[in-house]
Amino acid sequence: MDSPRQGNLTGNPRKVKDTAVELYTVSTLWKNHRDEGIELIRQITELKLQWLEEKAKRQELENQMQLLCDKLETTYYKLEKLVQKLDILTSHMEGMAKLEEYQEKNKIGRFANIDESNTSHMFLTWPTRRFYDACQQIQSCYKEEIEAKKIIAENVAHSTTKDDLVFYMSAWGHDPFITDRCCLLLESFLCETGHR
């Protein structure tokens, strides 16, 4: 098996390799911000439970809770920016895949659909289209997850039971829409481009 392209890459190979690094960076930042959110939700949960039990200190608790909710909202927006970054990366990968398909069509003199067997591999085994498909699937997982995070961020402070509060904290930390397949695609992307 050939090793991934090395040295000073240019053009599409350089862009794909850079995209792999950016995808990994997004994934790492996501985990960090998710963990920040878990801690904030834990603190909100503690204050909310006190609020439900102690009627005398409610105003003070509400002020503290508002500060934590503001921080959670900021954390949510950080996650949302990461999803926007994924949108941009996916768009760039789509453009590269379409350009390569166009060039392949003209090079081989046909105007039929290009499949993977007709395209050259950029690194080990994946053609550009496969990098785009992986990027698109990763983006889709994070888009679904950010929607869940939005609902949690909007509702956690309005919960009235301990069970609801614990559920929100668990749901925030679990990332149910960022599946094992999504993580495998990211790892495959990194391996394919020689980062692993």
Side-chain angles (χ1 to χ4, degrees):
M1 180 182 297
D2 294 332
S3 63
R5 291 185 182 187
Q6 308 223 342
N8 293 330
L9 298 175
T10 59
N12 284 352
R14 172 83 262 157
K15 290 176 185 173
V16 170
K17 196 161 187 160
D18 290 347
T19 298
V21 171
E22 291 186 58
L23 286 171
Y24 179 76
T25 301
V26 165
S27 173
T28 302
L29 289 172
W30 180 277
K31 290 172 187 170
N32 293 341
H33 296 319
R34 178 201 60 210
D35 292 347
E36 288 172 26
I38 291 170
E39 179 57 24
L40 291 167
I41 292 173
R42 186 191 63 74
Q43 292 174 19
I44 291 168
T45 298
E46 287 176 9
L47 289 175
K48 186 66 178 193
L49 291 174
Q50 286 178 16
W51 185 88
L52 291 170
E53 294 171 5
E54 301 176 30
K55 303 205 185 295
K57 297 166 71 177
R58 280 197 168 177
Q59 186 58 48
E60 179 186 332
L61 293 171
E62 285 176 8
N63 292 339
Q64 291 175 15
M65 229 181 325
Q66 184 59 52
L67 290 173
L68 291 171
C69 288
D70 291 345
K71 287 180 181 179
L72 183 61
E73 183 179 35
T74 300
T75 300
Y76 166 79
Y77 286 129
K78 289 176 188 175
L79 292 170
E80 190 175 55
K81 283 188 180 219
L82 293 174
V83 172
Q84 291 168 355
K85 177 71 171 175
L86 288 174
D87 293 344
I88 293 167
L89 292 172
T90 303
S91 177
H92 289 163
M93 290 302 302
E94 179 182 28
M96 281 189 281
K98 285 181 177 181
L99 176 62
E100 188 171 286
E101 287 173 0
Y102 175 77
Q103 290 170 338
E104 287 290 325
K105 285 179 186 178
N106 288 330
K107 183 169 86 176
I108 60 177
R110 333 188 284 207
F111 292 94
N113 285 337
I114 300 296
D115 63 14
E116 285 192 13
S117 64
N118 293 335
T119 59
S120 60
H121 300 296
M122 190 172 288
F123 290 96
L124 291 174
T125 60
W126 286 9
T128 306
R129 171 56 71 175
R130 183 69 183 106
F131 286 106
Y132 163 61
D133 291 342
C135 197
Q136 187 178 41
Q137 290 174 42
I138 292 167
Q139 171 207 29
S140 176
C141 291
Y142 279 87
K143 276 188 159 198
E144 285 184 76
E145 188 60 41
I146 197 65
E147 290 302 315
K149 299 276 192 265
K150 181 179 183 180
I151 292 167
I152 294 167
E154 290 174 346
N155 291 297
V156 68
H158 302 290
S159 298
T160 57
T161 67
K162 182 177 181 178
D163 289 343
D164 287 348
L165 292 163
V166 170
F167 170 77
Y168 284 135
M169 188 166 40
S170 297
W172 184 283
H174 181 61
D175 287 339
F177 295 103
I178 300 175
T179 62
D180 290 342
R181 172 140 175 82
C182 177
C183 297
L184 180 62
L185 282 170
L186 176 58
E187 282 301 313
S188 298
F189 206 113
L190 292 167
C191 288
E192 191 69 28
T193 55
H195 291 293
R196 294 265 197 258

